[in-house]
Amino acid sequence: PHTNIISVEIDGNENESCKLKSKSPSAVTVTKARLVYPSASIAKDVVSFIRSSKITPASIFLDDTNDTHKTNMNMNMNIYTYTYSAKAIQATQVTKYPMPPPTISWPKVGPPKFRRLLPNQQNNDEEKLSIERSQTRFIFITNLIDTSKSVSKSSVPVPINDNELDPYMVQESLRNALQPYCISKESSIYPLEIFLVSNKLNSPFKYCHIGTRSPLDVQSIITTLQGKTLDL
């Protein structure tokens, strides 16, 4: 909600003294803005809403009949004409905090390429696999979403349409559910990394990879939760 915004920054400058980039007095170009909210949870809700609603600048600022908007820019009553984009706004969360060290975080935009630490034809050295298991900070989790229609004693599972699920909400639910089982000092500073399935042809919520901050967290989660059910 706009009432929760602390400040607005345009083109990297605070709104109280921002200088808009322009090639001429009658042409003003604003390509990005930074909204500062009081908490990360509110910012996540806003990003999720913007992405799912496919909001455009034109839908925010214009009515149904006009494709331009005129407004007073300063005390000299100079009138500038704005042409708002009809493309969906691209929203993402940003932070001013430094990146975690690469030893406990994945620094690239694309997800890492994972391989299971299980015996196979290419690698059946159990001793080597055991060492790798003790050193990894990544976990593979499956059976995330139960879409069965079977009736249990305690509840009736509701069939879930993957298209109705918000990836950000799924990620946040996983973090909240798994965080209590992370025991390393680093995990108390940095939240878990969640790597959902990127292939849109498959269900994005059937399984995922979790990046903890320490192999200690991996051992704790596997030992405590293997074969058990979590409420998200």
Side-chain angles (χ1 to χ4, degrees), residues 27-28 30 33 35 41 62 66 79 108 112 139 152 168 173 190 204 232:
V28 180
V30 178
L35 309 181
S41 60
L62 304 182
N66 298 323
I79 304 299
K108 300 180 180 179
I139 311 172
S152 65
Y168 290 92
S173 297
Y190 304 106
L232 301 181

Side-chain angles (χ1 to χ4, degrees), residues 104-121:
I104 63 171
S105 68
W106 181 251
K108 300 180 180 179
V109 175
K113 293 184 178 180
F114 298 101
R115 62 181 176 87
R116 299 191 186 187
L117 297 178
L118 297 173
N120 52 52
Q121 294 181 350

Side-chain angles (χ1 to χ4, degrees), residues 126-144:
E126 184 59 40
E127 182 178 353
K128 181 180 178 180
L129 289 172
S130 179
I131 294 175
E132 289 182 315
R133 292 191 198 105
S134 67
Q135 296 176 345
T136 185
R137 65 178 188 87
F138 296 102
I139 311 172
F140 174 76
I141 296 182
T142 189
N143 295 330
L144 283 181

Side-chain angles (χ1 to χ4, degrees), residues 92-108:
T92 187
Q93 286 182 266
V94 295
T95 181
K96 293 183 179 180
Y97 293 103
M99 281 287 293
T103 54
I104 63 171
S105 68
W106 181 251
K108 300 180 180 179

Side-chain angles (χ1 to χ4, degrees), residues 10 71 88 197 224:
I10 300 176
T71 185
V197 181
T224 310

